[in-house]
Short mmCIF file of all heavy atoms in Angstrom, two decimals:
data_model
loop_
_atom_site.label_atom_id
_atom_site.label_comp_id
_atom_site.label_asym_id
_atom_site.label_seq_id
_atom_site.Cartn_x
_atom_site.Cartn_y
_atom_site.Cartn_z
N GLY G 341 111.76 105.94 48.75
CA GLY G 341 113.05 105.28 48.66
C GLY G 341 113.15 104.28 49.79
O GLY G 341 112.23 103.52 50.04
N TRP G 342 114.26 104.34 50.50
CA TRP G 342 114.45 103.44 51.65
C TRP G 342 115.56 104.02 52.51
O TRP G 342 116.33 104.87 52.08
CB TRP G 342 114.81 102.03 51.17
CG TRP G 342 114.57 100.94 52.18
CD1 TRP G 342 115.51 100.14 52.75
CD2 TRP G 342 113.30 100.50 52.70
NE1 TRP G 342 114.91 99.23 53.61
CE2 TRP G 342 113.55 99.43 53.59
CE3 TRP G 342 111.99 100.91 52.50
CZ2 TRP G 342 112.55 98.77 54.29
CZ3 TRP G 342 110.98 100.25 53.19
CH2 TRP G 342 111.26 99.20 54.07
N PHE G 343 115.62 103.57 53.76
CA PHE G 343 116.64 104.08 54.66
C PHE G 343 118.01 103.49 54.34
O PHE G 343 118.12 102.45 53.69
CB PHE G 343 116.27 103.78 56.11
CG PHE G 343 116.04 102.32 56.41
CD1 PHE G 343 117.10 101.46 56.65
CD2 PHE G 343 114.75 101.80 56.46
CE1 PHE G 343 116.91 100.11 56.93
CE2 PHE G 343 114.54 100.45 56.74
CZ PHE G 343 115.61 99.61 56.97
N THR G 344 119.05 104.17 54.82
CA THR G 344 120.43 103.71 54.66
C THR G 344 120.91 103.13 55.98
O THR G 344 120.69 103.70 57.04
CB THR G 344 121.35 104.86 54.25
OG1 THR G 344 120.91 105.38 52.99
CG2 THR G 344 122.79 104.40 54.12
N GLU G 345 121.55 101.99 55.91
CA GLU G 345 122.16 101.38 57.09
C GLU G 345 123.67 101.39 56.92
O GLU G 345 124.19 101.29 55.80
CB GLU G 345 121.67 99.94 57.27
CG GLU G 345 122.04 99.03 56.12
CD GLU G 345 121.49 97.62 56.26
OE1 GLU G 345 122.17 96.80 56.92
OE2 GLU G 345 120.40 97.36 55.73
N PHE G 346 124.39 101.55 58.02
CA PHE G 346 125.84 101.42 57.96
C PHE G 346 126.20 100.02 57.47
O PHE G 346 125.69 99.02 57.99
CB PHE G 346 126.47 101.66 59.33
CG PHE G 346 126.46 103.11 59.76
CD1 PHE G 346 125.90 103.49 60.97
CD2 PHE G 346 127.02 104.09 58.96
CE1 PHE G 346 125.91 104.82 61.37
CE2 PHE G 346 127.03 105.42 59.35
CZ PHE G 346 126.47 105.79 60.56
N GLY G 347 127.04 99.96 56.45
CA GLY G 347 127.41 98.68 55.86
C GLY G 347 126.53 98.28 54.70
O GLY G 347 126.79 97.26 54.05
N GLY G 348 125.51 99.07 54.42
CA GLY G 348 124.61 98.77 53.31
C GLY G 348 124.74 99.79 52.21
O GLY G 348 125.11 100.95 52.44
N ALA G 349 124.45 99.38 50.97
CA ALA G 349 124.42 100.32 49.87
C ALA G 349 123.24 101.27 50.04
O ALA G 349 122.32 101.02 50.82
CB ALA G 349 124.31 99.57 48.55
N VAL G 350 123.28 102.39 49.32
CA VAL G 350 122.26 103.43 49.47
C VAL G 350 121.14 103.20 48.45
O VAL G 350 121.38 103.28 47.25
CB VAL G 350 122.88 104.83 49.27
CG1 VAL G 350 121.82 105.91 49.40
CG2 VAL G 350 124.00 105.05 50.28
N PRO G 351 119.92 102.93 48.92
CA PRO G 351 118.82 102.68 47.98
C PRO G 351 118.29 103.98 47.36
O PRO G 351 118.32 105.04 47.98
CB PRO G 351 117.74 102.02 48.86
CG PRO G 351 118.41 101.72 50.18
CD PRO G 351 119.52 102.70 50.31
N TYR G 352 117.81 103.87 46.15
CA TYR G 352 117.09 104.98 45.53
C TYR G 352 115.95 104.41 44.68
O TYR G 352 116.01 103.26 44.23
CB TYR G 352 118.02 105.85 44.68
CG TYR G 352 118.59 105.17 43.46
CD1 TYR G 352 118.00 105.30 42.20
CD2 TYR G 352 119.75 104.38 43.54
CE1 TYR G 352 118.52 104.68 41.08
CE2 TYR G 352 120.27 103.75 42.43
CZ TYR G 352 119.66 103.90 41.20
OH TYR G 352 120.18 103.28 40.09
N ARG G 353 114.91 105.22 44.50
CA ARG G 353 113.75 104.77 43.74
C ARG G 353 113.54 105.69 42.54
O ARG G 353 113.34 106.89 42.71
CB ARG G 353 112.49 104.76 44.60
CG ARG G 353 111.28 104.15 43.88
CD ARG G 353 110.06 104.06 44.76
NE ARG G 353 109.00 103.29 44.09
CZ ARG G 353 107.79 103.07 44.59
NH1 ARG G 353 107.48 103.56 45.78
NH2 ARG G 353 106.91 102.38 43.90
N PRO G 354 113.58 105.15 41.32
CA PRO G 354 113.36 105.99 40.14
C PRO G 354 112.00 106.69 40.20
O PRO G 354 110.99 106.09 40.58
CB PRO G 354 113.41 104.99 38.98
CG PRO G 354 114.22 103.84 39.50
CD PRO G 354 113.86 103.74 40.95
N VAL G 355 111.98 107.96 39.82
CA VAL G 355 110.75 108.73 39.92
C VAL G 355 109.67 108.22 38.97
O VAL G 355 108.48 108.35 39.24
CB VAL G 355 111.03 110.23 39.69
CG1 VAL G 355 111.42 110.50 38.24
CG2 VAL G 355 109.82 111.07 40.09
N GLU G 356 110.09 107.59 37.87
CA GLU G 356 109.10 107.05 36.95
C GLU G 356 108.25 105.98 37.63
O GLU G 356 107.02 105.91 37.42
CB GLU G 356 109.78 106.45 35.71
CG GLU G 356 110.55 107.44 34.87
CD GLU G 356 112.03 107.52 35.26
OE1 GLU G 356 112.36 107.20 36.43
OE2 GLU G 356 112.85 107.89 34.40
N ASP G 357 108.89 105.15 38.45
CA ASP G 357 108.13 104.12 39.16
C ASP G 357 107.34 104.70 40.32
O ASP G 357 106.23 104.27 40.61
CB ASP G 357 109.08 103.03 39.68
CG ASP G 357 108.34 101.93 40.42
OD1 ASP G 357 107.59 101.19 39.76
OD2 ASP G 357 108.48 101.85 41.65
#
Side-chain angles (χ1 to χ4, degrees):
W342 200 244
F343 57 82
T344 298
E345 62 183 274
F346 287 125
V350 179
Y352 66 96
R353 186 176 188 182
V355 69
E356 298 93 335
D357 180 68

